[in-house]
């Protein structure tokens, strides 16, 4: 049997209890929606940015512990990152949770480690991936429009 | 001879392959008895041929077997004529046939269609889309906190511009059993045809189309121990000539020339293309299986398990039931306070308990009840009281793990 504690690391449990910047914000520069039609998870990411980088990220909504923790890490890590850096982090995270063989040639941010075992729970990968995938889409569109 | 429910698990090979499995996602699809699997295998091994085409023995036998199932289906639901039964891919396709092939042409701007707030997306979206295309209104009869249909409100929505009423016999979220006899009488007083979504009811509770005077009854084989990919549309005899097919092609024609086609009558009209013959054969075997059971024992068994879980969950505390209807079957939705349904379902899955988490294709109902998602346990004939206890024990462990 799979080790359940691998999915629910202490980091995920802690982030779920005390998520980062978990509140609605008004007058923001952009809102990214991370909705999962299959399970009904719905998060909104409230973005404040200047010309080059994210200034503040908040999020709010409803989702399971894995998606809440994952969105929390995203909000914390992407603040003060440029579009290019943010996009790199999105790719890195998505690769870390979906790749069959984790790539050891890059040093993952410590926050990602808690999610690296999600890949053993294929039915939960989407929970962790959702905000990052939506953020990646947003960043790619932003880059293309510039 | 009646097949008792005690030890009925031994008829289902899945449980010998997964001896520790506690399967509580029966509202999504039931497991298949050996007899159904065998009937499908037999067909492919010994009887495979297309129907209604060849003049050779295999084809004639396949046709005979296929048509014999039509008769069995009619028998199961108390339909007088096998010709009232059409085979489809499933409940969703059956509803779409009625929405597009029956309703759409009759529906004009300002007309309305009435459904209820507890409908599965399959019994909502087809009507919603046809209404939007025709400029008609979709009226939604409300559900009370217990998850029961509000009959007076429903009655007040039916008027002389109502072209159809569509309602689930049993909700796939709360398990409530709707009083379809009463609902149909109400609609028929105003000459409104009624479609009953029997996905959760046919094979699980008795249903008689003649007695209740149902106009359209739809369901899927796979939720009553039959194969996936096969469903039924029952259409009352006198409405059959109003139905147009969704699909055109071989199999539903009487005569074709390059400019026009003369079509066969219902039900052949709806069965263009080579049909899913082994699916239909498997449905026949599922009906044989169901008819070996004592339907009253089935109803009581599923209801008892559902009620036991509801009561014990409430007694446990920290649990919110999604509706708690008086007249319900073995479908139970709930939330564990402070723990997301997905996390609950994953934890149960880790103990080999298969439940559903999410909105169960009834997003508007849950939104109306102020709930984003729930956990759902749905019981069938092979589930036991011990399995109810396992769920409760595991939920205790879950709370220790999380809270």
């Amino acid at each position: 049997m799979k080790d359940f504690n691998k999915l629910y690391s202490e980091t995920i449990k802690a982030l779920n209890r005390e998520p980062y910047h978990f509140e609605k914000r008004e007058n923001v520069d952009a809102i990214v929606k991370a909705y999962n039609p299959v399970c009904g998870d719905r998060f909104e990411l409230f973005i404040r940015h200047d010309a080059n980088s994210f200034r503040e990220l908040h999020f709010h909504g409803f989702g399971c512990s894995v998606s809440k923790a994952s969105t929390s890490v995203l909000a914390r890590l992407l603040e003060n990152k440029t579009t290019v850096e943010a996009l790199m982090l999105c790719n890195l995270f998505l690769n870390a949770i979906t790749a069959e063989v984790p790539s050891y040639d890059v040093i993952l941010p410590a926050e990602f480690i808690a999610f690296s075992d999600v890949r053993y729970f294929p039915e939960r990968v989407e929970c962790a991936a959702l905000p990052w995938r939506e953020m990646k889409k947003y960043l790619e569109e932003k880059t293309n429009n510039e | 001879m009646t097949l008792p429910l005690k030890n009925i698990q031994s008829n289902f090979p899945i449980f010998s392959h997964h001896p520790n499995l506690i399967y509580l996602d029966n509202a999504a699809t039931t497991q298949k008895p050996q007899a159904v699997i065998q009937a499908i295998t037999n067909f492919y091994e010994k009887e495979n041929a297309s129907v209604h085409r060849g003049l050779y023995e295999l084809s004639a036998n396949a046709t005979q077997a296929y048509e014999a199932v039509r008769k069995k289906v009619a028998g199961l639901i108390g339909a007088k004529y096998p010709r009232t039964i059409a085979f489809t891919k499933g409940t969703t396709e059956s509803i779409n046939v009625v929405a597009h092939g029956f309703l759409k042409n009759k529906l004009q701007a300002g007309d309305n269609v009435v459904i209820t707030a507890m409908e599965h997306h399959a019994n909502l979206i087809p009507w919603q889309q046809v209404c939007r295309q025709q400029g008609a209104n979709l009226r939604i009869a409300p559900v009370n906190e217990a998850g029961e249909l509000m009959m007076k409100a429903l009655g007040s929505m039916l008027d002389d511009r109502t072209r159809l009423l569509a309602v689930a016999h049993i909700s796939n979220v709360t398990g409530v059993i709707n009083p379809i006899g009463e609902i149909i009488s109400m609609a028929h007083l105003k000459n409104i045809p009624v479609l009953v979504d029997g996905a959760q009811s046919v094979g699980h509770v008795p249903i008689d189309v003649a007695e209740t005077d149902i106009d359209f009854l739809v369901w899927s084989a796979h939720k009553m121990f039959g194969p996936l990919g096969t469903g039924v549309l029952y259409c009352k005899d006198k409405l059959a000539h109003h139905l147009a097919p969704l699909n055109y092609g071989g199999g539903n024609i009487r005569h074709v020339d390059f400019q026009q086609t003369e079509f066969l009558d219902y039900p052949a009209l709806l069965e263009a293309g080579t049909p899913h013959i082994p699916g239909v054969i498997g449905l026949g075997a599922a009906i044989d299986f169901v008819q070996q059971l004592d339907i009253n024992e089935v109803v009581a068994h599923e209801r008892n398990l559902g009620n036991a879980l509801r009561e014990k969950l409430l007694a446990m505390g920290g649990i919110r039931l999604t509706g708690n209807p008086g007249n319900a079957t073995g479908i139970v939705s709930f939330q564990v306070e402070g723990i997301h349904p997905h996390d609950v379902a994953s934890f149960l899955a880790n103990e080999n308990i298969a439940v559903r988490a999410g909105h169960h294709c009834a997003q508007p109902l849950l939104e109306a009840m102020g709930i984003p998602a729930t956990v759902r346990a749905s019981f069938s004939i092979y589930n036991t009281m011990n399995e109810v206890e396992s769920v409760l024990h595991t939920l205790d462990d879950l709370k220790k793990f999380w809270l």
Side-chain angles (χ1 to χ4, degrees), chain B residues 21-64:
Chain B
L21 173 65
I22 298 180
Y23 184 77
L24 302 180
D25 198 15
N26 294 288
T29 195
T30 56
Q31 297 301 338
K32 317 305 172 201
Q34 182 64 46
V36 168
I37 299 166
Q38 198 56 52
I40 295 166
T41 309
N42 267 349
F43 176 78
Y44 279 129
E45 279 184 3
K46 301 172 189 160
E47 300 158 4
N48 182 58
S50 190
V51 292
H52 303 139
R53 312 280 200 279
L55 294 171
Y56 49 93
E57 197 184 351
L58 273 180
S59 173
N61 289 346
T63 305
Q64 205 176 27

Side-chain angles (χ1 to χ4, degrees), chain A residues 86-102:
Chain A
L87 202 49
M88 263 176 55
L89 282 168
C90 288
N91 287 329
L92 207 54
F93 183 88
L94 290 168
N95 185 57
I97 60 163
T98 53
E100 301 247 323
V101 183

Side-chain angles (χ1 to χ4, degrees), chain A residues 1 4 8 13 37 63 65 124, chain B residues 340 343 346-347 350 359 372 401:
Chain A
M1 191 177 289
F4 209 59
Y8 293 112
K13 284 164 82 173
S65 59
R124 300 302 296 273
Chain B
H340 187 280
D343 297 318
S346 273
F347 198 90
N350 208 48
H359 52 60
F401 182 83

Side-chain angles (χ1 to χ4, degrees), chain B residues 88-298:
Chain B
T88 64
K89 282 196 301 198
T91 309
T92 300
E93 189 184 53
S94 297
I95 294 173
N96 276 281
V97 167
V98 178
H100 292 272
F102 172 81
L103 181 68
K104 193 173 173 184
N105 287 337
K106 299 183 189 305
L107 203 59
Q108 294 177 340
D111 285 347
N112 66 76
V113 173
V114 178
I115 64 169
T116 82
M118 72 175 80
E119 299 311 315
H120 186 283
H121 291 169
N123 202 24
L124 156 63
I125 303 170
W127 313 118
Q128 179 195 67
Q129 293 303 309
V130 167
C131 282
R132 288 173 70 99
Q133 288 160 17
Q134 304 300 98
N137 302 311
L138 185 63
R139 296 179 174 172
I140 316 292
V143 169
N144 67 17
E145 262 185 28
E148 295 157 336
L149 186 55
M150 297 171 78
M151 293 292 286
K152 269 193 186 156
L154 170 65
S156 70
M157 287 180 175
L158 304 172
D159 61 26
D160 57 359
R161 302 289 306 266
T162 307
R163 298 292 168 245
L164 188 115
L165 166 64
V167 59
H169 189 184
I170 293 176
S171 159
N172 73 312
V173 176
T174 62
V176 65
I177 305 173
N178 285 318
I180 48 164
E182 205 180 319
I183 292 169
I184 292 165
S185 307
M186 222 156 68
H188 283 180
L189 277 177
K190 296 181 178 168
N191 294 317
I192 300 163
V194 180
L195 177 139
V196 174
D197 173 357
Q200 300 296 345
S201 69
V202 178
H204 298 264
V205 298
I207 186 165
D208 189 309
V209 293
E211 196 185 299
T212 46
D213 203 19
I214 292 176
D215 298 289
F216 303 101
L217 176 64
V218 298
W219 78 95
S220 300
H222 75 93
K223 295 188 201 261
M224 52 163 287
F225 315 115
L228 292 153
T230 301
V232 176
L233 166 62
Y234 159 83
C235 173
K236 188 190 270 181
D237 226 11
K238 75 171 192 207
L239 292 177
H241 64 281
H242 291 276
L243 267 174
L246 289 186
N247 298 318
Y248 293 95
N252 63 352
I253 50 96
R254 190 167 276 135
H255 179 80
V256 183
D257 69 32
F258 280 122
Q259 300 307 326
Q260 56 191 346
T261 298
E262 197 185 316
F263 292 101
L264 288 172
D265 292 333
Y266 177 92
L269 178 66
L270 297 190
E271 295 174 12
T274 306
H276 184 17
I277 306 163
V280 169
I281 304 277
L283 168 60
I287 293 172
D288 290 342
F289 177 76
V290 164
Q291 288 182 331
Q292 283 178 62
L293 307 171
D294 170 0
I295 187 78
N296 295 318
E297 192 189 2
V298 171

Side-chain angles (χ1 to χ4, degrees), chain A residues 3-14 16 64-67 69 114 117-118 121 123-124 127, chain B residues 339-348 350 398 401-402:
Chain A
D3 181 2
F4 209 59
N5 289 306
K6 276 191 171 174
L7 175 62
Y8 293 112
S9 61
E10 284 308 316
T11 316
I12 289 181
K13 284 164 82 173
N16 196 48
C64 67
S65 59
V66 176
S67 63
D117 284 332
V118 171
F121 297 82
E123 68 286 355
R124 300 302 296 273
C127 309
Chain B
I339 308 176
H340 187 280
H342 250 180
D343 297 318
V344 178
S346 273
F347 198 90
L348 290 167
N350 208 48
L398 164 83
F401 182 83
W402 268 111

Side-chain angles (χ1 to χ4, degrees), chain A residues 12 18 24 31 49 80 91 109 119 125 135:
Chain A
I12 289 181
E18 289 177 51
K24 278 187 192 168
I31 296 177
H49 61 74
N80 299 314
N91 287 329
R119 86 174 76 89
V125 167
M135 180 55 85

